[in-house]
Amino acid sequence: MSQETYKGLIKYLDALEYPDSQNLNFSNEKTVREIVLWLETNKLKSAKSSVLKGLQSQNSEEWNKHFEEYTGSCGGFSFNSPLEKLHWLLAKALCNEYAKNKQLYNSHAVEKIKASNVPKVVAENPLDRLDYSTQESKDRINELAKLLKITPSPDHLVTLSAVRKVICSRLSLDCAKNPENVIVKGTPFPYKEVPMGKDFKDPSLNEAVKILQLLNIGDIRDLQTKASELIVTKQKATADPKTDTKIGKVGVNGK
Amino acid sequence: MSFTAEELELAPKKYEYLDHTADVQLHSWGDTLKEAFEQCGISMFGYMTELESIEIKQCEEIEATGDDLEGLLFHFLDELLFLFSCDPFLICSKLVITQFETGEEFRIKCKCYGEEFQIGKHPQGTEVKAITYSAMHIVNEPDKRKELFVIIDI
Amino acid sequence: MEDGLVKKLEDNTKRIFENMNVKSSYSEITKGKIRSIEPPIIIIPKKQQDSETTKKQVEQKIKPAEISVAVTKIKSAGHASKAHSQYFEEAMNQAIANVAALPGIVGKSIGLPDIHSGYGFAIGNMAAFDMNDPLSVVSPGGVGFDINCGVRLLRTNLYEKDVAPVKENLAQSLFDHIPVGVGSKGIIPMNAKDLEEALEMGMDWSLREGHSWAEDKEHCEEYGRMLNADPAKVSMRAKKRGLPQLGTLGAGNHYVEIQVVDEIFDKWAAAKMGIEEKGQVCVMIHSGSRGFGHQVATDALVEMEKAMKRDKIETNDRQLACARINSKEGQDYLKSMAAAANFAWVNRSSMTFLTRQAFAKQFGMAPDDLDMHVIYDVSHNIAKIEEHIVDGRHKTLLVHRKGSTRAFPPHHPLIPVDYQLTGQPVLIGGTMGTCSYVLTGTLQGMIETFGSTCHGAGRALSRAKSRRNIEYKDVLQKLKDMDIAIRVASPKLVMEEAPESYKNVTDVVDTCHAAGISKKAIKLRPIAVIKG
């Protein structure tokens, strides 16, 4: 059982307000039995009286049998351990809890609390405390750009994001170690000679459009490569090229 | 399957291949429409392989219908092509039309004699893709030789 | 808190990439599996034909120089009949004019320089119909019987000097790997269910089964799959014809050729296609949807005849059957045609797989290491729904191309990203023993011919005439003299496909280049031909 699952169990128990959920020892079977009983008594309340009785006799040899009966088919899942089953049971209890107080919980939904959370996060980021509008910030950003050979934009914040892009993509630790993995290789192409479909009657505008076209092509190429890579991973599972050599005559002289 | 001597006897050749730019035009004739139809079918098989290489080992019966005489010819040839193209992959050297109805309804029943096409035994000729209505012409006048002209797509 | 969060993100990212393991390639995947296939079988060479009956009388020898190519300046083409003025036979004019008279046609019915007579539509004819005009029609005659007949070009990193010593072996190996000629059956095991899936999925099926590389799909029109395909609209008859023939080359003008780069006209475009210099070896596959497509077309013609009577559509030629695009028959045809198109892509993909195997065995290297990528795959018998600008207005058209190749210009959204700057590659297959070309699409072609250009040489002599005028032995000898290895299933019929029977492909290509509807990029010359 992985660390993740333990964490998940604790999280669920915490949410269900199980007493002392942080200090539980799941390897002890007794703990599991206690939790199950607690769940049934306080949350689920769905067992027949005979089953409930069985679950209550915590030290009985028969307990597991009652537990089986209690969980029934478990929605058709199969489980590798009682803990996984417990996990499923907890999730079920959580669902019930949520269904009971849907409106209350929804008012705390992620999209609603986000807004109130943002300023808090900002306050904790030291960079966000900087005032970027000062002349000093502007100068420093432009200096940094000059150092990295980036043409500064009139808007220093745009320049800053360009600086960030270069640093993240080209100056990471990984790039420093294996620069050849990052530096784009390719054959030159006289892109200026390619008709672009529409003449804007302004050389600099045309130039800009061409550059945008190239950037767009680069992006699509990237996407296409990722798509192809994904297909290749899937092929691992599906590909089984068969040829029935009896029908045709494949191969020459055993070569 | 055994066949009588009569069944094994091939009909005399009454067809030819005419010019057409990308494809070929079958021209067949006979004293009756029935004979011209049989000849037309054989001429199509003759384009796919050499008829001499075919032994009669098998007989299949096909049926074709049409709205008019041209439609009947089209479907008749299409049925024969189908017989060749998939199971039983039959290549024929002899066709006998057992029922030939014109008038109210156009219907043909035909016995097709031949064997399964085998590469190595039967020389590979040209593949017939489809029958066409293009420039299809049927000469069907009383007291005259019956003639059929069909272009097949190859 | 931030620290924990960042750490978690990093861990997640790392885990995702570890699990993806994207570095592995197709050949790695298939290596083990190919090896597990039973060892190759010894070949019995396909028998030569030796009967006397097909021997035709030689009436006169043909002189290639006497065959003129009808050169048409497409630029000046107005309506169909004008475009072909005195050069073309009356019949051809009639065919183009018949098409121009169909309801819903937009612009002109265009005859391309390689035009020759067909039925209904001439071969080398393209016509577009307005999707928003309720009277517009779709015509199976405008697509042809061999739906999605097309050409695929593979490159290799081999040069002529690498291949020359083993040319005969390689040709034989290809001939043995790829089923060719009348009555041949596919060697990739298929059942009815596989066929249904292949019809629906096109090259995605080939990918799933491992016959294709992921990159192959990128370089095909429509990514090798027409999404509107509906196998349920296809007759049982067509499926029965198609099943045994999937993965077969066919006969007639279909071929697989080993070619070498003979000339590079546009080095930038060539570089984008992975062609570096003269002498580089390529493989061209020309095939279509086999009996499946033929039957789909035949079925549609029969259905449409009935629909025409009902909708009171009259045409000058019974073979020009058509149906309103919005009618049931029209829709059913488009769906079954798409299934046939998918069949053709799967067919070419299967032969690509076999070609790669043949090369891999010959050179003892994985196809990956031989860089056997698909340069492009074009369809020259198809109808597609496309967006075009007509008289300054945007229109959705159903474009029929019969013996005509799509040729989209640079930056067109429907062409692969690798060719965004060069324009779509257009593959022009020559005839046995003659050159082939790779062109690229142009803006001018987009405007003037709805992004279409020629597809090949175009017939000049009828088959029967070829049989009478050319001796098959001469054709074989001539190929031998040119140092071209040849393997044919029906050698006695090679004269039908002899170069003399066709217009000169170079003239056809030059005409299209001069008219600006496509641009020459590469010229290829065959060194080995495998034919039905």
Side-chain angles (χ1 to χ4, degrees):
Chain A
M1 184 130 272
S2 73
Q3 200 61 35
E4 300 283 309
T5 321
Y6 282 119
K7 277 188 193 158
L9 285 173
I10 293 168
K11 205 163 76 185
Y12 283 6
L13 285 167
D14 202 18
L16 290 163
E17 295 170 322
Y18 187 76
D20 202 18
S21 57
Q22 300 297 327
N23 300 310
L24 292 169
N25 176 12
F26 290 104
S27 49
N28 185 350
E29 203 177 332
K30 196 164 162 276
T31 315
V32 176
R33 292 184 182 189
E34 277 169 4
I35 295 171
V36 171
L37 182 62
W38 181 86
L39 263 184
E40 171 53 28
T41 326
N42 296 293
K43 302 286 172 185
L44 291 167
K45 296 173 188 166
S46 65
K48 284 185 288 184
S49 60
S50 61
V51 178
L52 182 62
K53 226 171 189 177
L55 294 176
Q56 277 164 344
S57 47
Q58 295 266 306
N59 295 320
S60 158
E61 295 284 311
E62 300 279 277
W63 192 88
N64 276 327
K65 211 188 88 207
H66 291 292
F67 184 48
E68 281 298 315
E69 194 185 341
Y70 175 55
T71 49
S73 67
C74 290
F77 295 105
S78 62
F79 299 98
N80 293 324
S81 71
L83 278 186
E84 278 185 6
K85 206 175 225 175
L86 180 63
H87 194 268
W88 176 82
L89 207 58
L90 286 169
K92 190 176 155 191
L94 267 179
C95 280
N96 285 356
E97 283 293 292
Y98 169 72
K100 259 190 260 168
N101 291 308
K102 219 173 184 171
Q103 274 171 330
L104 178 68
Y105 292 122
N106 282 356
S107 66
H108 293 287
V110 179
E111 51 269 31
K112 292 201 175 135
I113 51 177
K114 228 179 201 166
S116 61
N117 258 357
V118 171
K120 208 174 110 204
V121 173
V122 167
E124 287 185 18
N125 185 347
L127 288 177
D128 288 329
R129 282 196 288 268
L130 289 179
D131 182 359
Y132 291 96
S133 59
T134 61
Q135 190 57 42
E136 197 195 352
S137 291
K138 286 180 191 169
D139 293 345
R140 292 278 182 258
I141 289 169
N142 285 338
E143 269 173 46
L144 199 55
K146 207 173 161 191
L147 204 66
L148 292 168
K149 294 182 182 147
I150 297 169
T151 314
S153 152
D155 181 350
H156 66 290
L157 288 178
V158 173
T159 315
L160 182 62
S161 76
V163 167
R164 187 200 67 89
K165 232 176 179 169
V166 171
I167 292 176
C168 290
S169 64
R170 290 294 175 85
L171 297 176
S172 69
L173 201 60
D174 194 33
C175 309
K177 276 186 208 154
N178 308 301
E180 66 277 6
N181 288 351
V182 181
I183 294 167
V184 182
K185 285 179 289 277
T187 35
F189 192 90
Y191 71 96
K192 287 187 181 174
E193 287 162 27
V194 177
M196 55 181 190
K198 188 173 162 68
D199 185 5
F200 293 92
K201 313 257 190 266
D202 175 350
S204 47
L205 196 55
N206 280 346
E207 179 78 7
V209 168
K210 290 218 151 157
I211 290 167
L212 282 177
Q213 282 178 334
L214 288 180
L215 287 172
N216 182 37
I217 290 172
D219 280 352
I220 304 173
R221 181 61 262 172
D222 219 36
L223 184 67
Q224 186 83 68
T225 305
K226 281 181 187 146
S228 292
E229 283 168 347
L230 203 63
I231 292 174
V232 172
T233 56
K234 296 290 167 211
Q235 271 187 317
K236 274 197 162 163
T238 62
D240 184 11
K242 289 173 290 209
T243 44
D244 187 347
T245 46
K246 285 190 287 295
I247 301 173
K249 298 155 184 171
V250 171
V252 191
N253 304 328
K255 263 179 212 167
Chain B
M1 208 185 267
S2 64
F3 295 96
T4 62
E6 191 196 341
E7 279 177 305
L8 290 172
E9 192 189 295
L10 300 185
K13 182 178 159 180
K14 292 186 181 177
Y15 58 83
E16 62 177 350
Y17 303 110
L18 298 176
D19 273 13
H20 185 262
T21 322
D23 302 291
V24 70
Q25 188 169 35
L26 308 176
H27 174 211
S28 70
W29 56 90
D31 298 333
T32 60
L33 268 180
K34 175 177 159 304
E35 188 183 11
F37 268 62
E38 288 169 354
Q39 286 287 341
C40 194
I42 289 299
S43 69
M44 184 172 77
F45 285 112
Y47 221 76
M48 300 178 190
T49 191
E50 285 164 32
L51 297 174
E52 295 79 1
S53 66
I54 303 169
E55 283 176 74
I56 293 177
K57 287 183 179 170
Q58 209 176 326
C59 176
E60 298 282 335
E61 194 172 50
I62 57 155
E63 192 178 327
T65 55
D67 291 338
D68 49 23
L69 209 51
E70 280 86 2
L72 186 65
L73 178 57
F74 180 92
H75 287 288
F76 172 63
L77 293 175
D78 192 42
E79 287 295 336
L80 292 177
L81 182 59
F82 186 64
L83 204 58
F84 170 78
S85 304
C86 51
D87 201 44
F89 302 103
L90 195 70
I91 183 106
C92 306
S93 57
K94 185 182 168 83
L95 299 173
V96 177
I97 294 177
T98 52
Q99 190 186 341
F100 195 104
E101 284 175 31
T102 54
E104 192 82 343
E105 196 187 24
F106 291 83
R107 179 186 299 276
I108 277 182
K109 275 191 185 165
C110 177
K111 280 186 167 173
C112 314
Y113 296 90
E115 64 176 322
E116 187 180 334
F117 188 85
Q118 279 175 291
I119 289 176
K121 176 173 185 182
H122 303 116
Q124 288 172 282
T126 305
E127 189 167 61
V128 176
K129 287 180 189 170
I131 321 301
T132 80
Y133 278 116
S134 179
M136 186 186 277
H137 184 51
I138 299 178
V139 179
N140 181 24
E141 283 164 38
D143 308 326
K144 260 187 159 176
R145 190 172 78 157
K146 315 291 184 211
E147 293 183 68
L148 307 177
F149 294 87
V150 191
I151 292 178
I152 49 174
D153 191 45
I154 52 182
Chain C
M1 183 190 169
E2 259 80 24
D3 281 351
L5 210 66
V6 171
K7 178 91 181 41
K8 205 166 175 193
L9 268 175
E10 274 172 4
D11 285 348
N12 273 338
T13 318
K14 219 172 130 195
R15 223 178 28 245
I16 289 167
F17 276 98
E18 272 165 10
N19 289 341
M20 272 178 78
N21 188 18
V22 293
K23 284 278 147 51
S24 67
S25 68
Y26 165 85
S27 62
E28 270 173 50
I29 295 166
T30 49
K31 234 174 231 165
K33 285 178 177 154
I34 289 176
R35 230 177 263 137
S36 69
I37 292 168
E38 59 181 287
I41 303 291
I42 308 294
I43 310 312
I44 313 147
K46 284 167 193 166
K47 264 195 183 163
Q48 300 273 312
Q49 300 176 50
D50 280 314
S51 160
E52 285 300 301
T53 45
T54 44
K55 203 165 186 180
K56 300 286 177 190
Q57 219 181 316
V58 183
E59 284 177 1
Q60 66 181 95
K61 292 274 178 208
I62 200 82
K63 297 188 192 82
E66 284 176 8
I67 303 164
S68 63
V69 171
V71 178
T72 163
K73 189 126 174 62
I74 285 160
K75 249 182 132 174
S76 63
H79 272 271
S81 42
K82 262 191 262 165
H84 300 280
S85 55
Q86 70 263 40
Y87 293 111
F88 288 98
E89 300 161 32
E90 267 308 303
M92 207 101 70
N93 277 331
Q94 190 58 47
I96 298 172
N98 285 346
V99 172
L102 287 174
I105 191 159
V106 176
K108 48 218 169 189
S109 156
I110 296 162
L112 294 153
D114 51 340
I115 195 160
H116 58 263
S117 82
Y119 1 79
F121 282 53
I123 297 160
N125 194 180
M126 70 85 33
F129 297 84
D130 188 349
M131 289 294 288
N132 292 320
D133 180 346
L135 296 181
S136 285
V137 293
V138 54
S139 170
V143 171
F145 281 106
D146 200 351
I147 295 166
N148 195 2
C149 180
V151 178
R152 173 178 289 201
L153 188 65
L154 310 178
R155 68 170 188 240
T156 69
N157 55 13
L158 299 165
Y159 282 86
E160 195 176 3
K161 61 177 186 332
D162 306 319
V163 174
V166 292
K167 195 168 65 181
E168 292 292 334
N169 284 349
L170 197 56
Q172 185 64 40
S173 176
L174 277 175
F175 189 61
D176 297 329
H177 275 75
I178 299 174
V180 299
V182 176
S184 56
K185 294 175 196 169
I187 63 166
I188 288 168
M190 293 276 284
N191 57 35
K193 188 174 152 276
D194 293 327
L195 182 70
E196 293 278 331
E197 290 175 353
L199 294 179
E200 191 186 326
M201 294 169 69
M203 269 179 74
D204 285 342
W205 185 85
S206 306
L207 273 174
R208 193 186 74 187
E209 300 299 312
H211 299 127
S212 273
W213 297 354
E215 299 87 348
D216 293 356
K217 189 174 150 66
E218 277 180 42
H219 288 177
C220 289
E221 285 186 26
E222 314 283 318
Y223 293 91
R225 174 182 188 172
M226 283 187 110
L227 292 168
N228 60 337
D230 185 355
K233 302 289 180 200
V234 176
S235 70
M236 218 37 229
R237 214 175 156 82
K239 288 173 189 166
K240 277 187 179 163
R241 273 185 78 175
L243 188 57
Q245 291 187 340
L246 193 65
T248 63
L249 183 68
N253 58 353
H254 293 161
Y255 59 79
V256 173
E257 276 186 356
I258 306 175
Q259 305 175 335
V260 295
V261 175
D262 195 45
E263 207 172 335
I264 296 175
F265 304 102
D266 181 342
K267 75 165 178 168
W268 301 114
K272 283 274 173 208
M273 298 172 199
I275 298 298
E276 301 298 337
E277 53 185 302
K278 282 189 196 176
Q280 197 170 335
V281 173
C282 295
V283 180
M284 187 175 268
I285 300 170
H286 179 198
S287 186
S289 50
R290 314 287 292 105
F292 182 84
H294 311 159
Q295 193 64 46
V296 166
T298 301
D299 293 343
L301 285 172
V302 172
E303 280 304 306
M304 285 187 183
E305 268 205 338
K306 292 175 201 153
M308 282 166 73
K309 278 179 197 158
R310 183 195 62 205
D311 295 343
K312 298 186 183 62
I313 304 173
E314 282 180 22
T315 57
N316 302 336
D317 184 348
R318 194 167 180 178
Q319 196 66 32
L320 203 60
C322 56
R324 303 232 186 281
I325 296 175
N326 295 324
S327 68
K328 185 181 174 297
E329 292 78 11
Q331 285 299 313
D332 285 357
Y333 174 67
L334 285 177
K335 286 171 186 162
S336 52
M337 182 205 70
N342 287 345
F343 184 99
W345 277 310
V346 172
N347 195 32
R348 287 198 286 274
S349 297
S350 301
M351 284 185 285
T352 305
F353 172 70
L354 297 171
T355 304
R356 284 174 177 153
Q357 278 202 30
F359 268 72
K361 281 179 194 164
Q362 181 66 49
F363 293 97
M365 282 166 87
D368 248 11
D369 299 327
L370 289 168
D371 195 38
M372 295 186 74
H373 281 283
V374 171
I375 290 182
Y376 204 64
D377 177 304
V378 296
S379 321
H380 51 228
N381 277 5
I382 203 152
K384 284 190 198 178
I385 297 167
E386 291 172 2
E387 311 284 321
H388 286 271
I389 309 282
V390 184
D391 300 328
R393 287 174 63 186
H394 172 260
K395 275 199 164 149
T396 307
L397 305 177
L398 181 66
V399 182
H400 291 64
R401 294 194 183 89
K402 181 180 185 182
S404 162
T405 317
R406 193 185 80 174
F408 279 171
H411 300 305
H412 193 287
L414 291 184
I415 67 176
V417 55
D418 295 340
Y419 302 125
Q420 281 287 315
L421 292 175
T422 62
Q424 178 210 313
V426 179
L427 310 175
I428 307 297
T431 48
M432 193 172 60
T434 67
C435 297
S436 297
Y437 285 85
V438 182
L439 316 177
T440 51
T442 63
L443 200 55
Q444 198 170 343
M446 195 64 193
I447 296 163
E448 292 181 10
T449 57
F450 299 105
S452 313
T453 189
C454 59
H455 87 298
R459 246 183 192 283
L461 281 189
S462 70
R463 288 171 192 272
K465 212 176 237 164
S466 305
R467 282 181 172 205
R468 278 199 305 274
N469 295 353
I470 311 166
E471 183 69 40
Y472 80 92
K473 282 178 188 153
D474 292 348
V475 178
L476 293 178
Q477 186 58 43
K478 205 172 154 194
L479 290 169
K480 211 176 156 195
D481 294 344
M482 289 162 76
D483 208 14
I484 298 173
I486 179 153
R487 296 290 183 282
V488 226
S490 47
K492 294 222 160 175
L493 296 175
V494 293
M495 59 279 194
E496 288 190 5
E497 299 297 326
E500 291 88 340
S501 311
Y502 285 87
K503 293 171 189 171
N504 186 340
V505 67
T506 303
D507 290 345
V508 170
V509 164
D510 284 344
T511 307
C512 291
H513 183 84
I517 56 171
S518 47
K519 203 170 142 211
K520 288 199 281 186
I522 303 168
K523 182 181 177 189
L524 299 149
R525 147 177 76 80
I527 57 170
V529 186
I530 286 88
K531 266 185 89 74

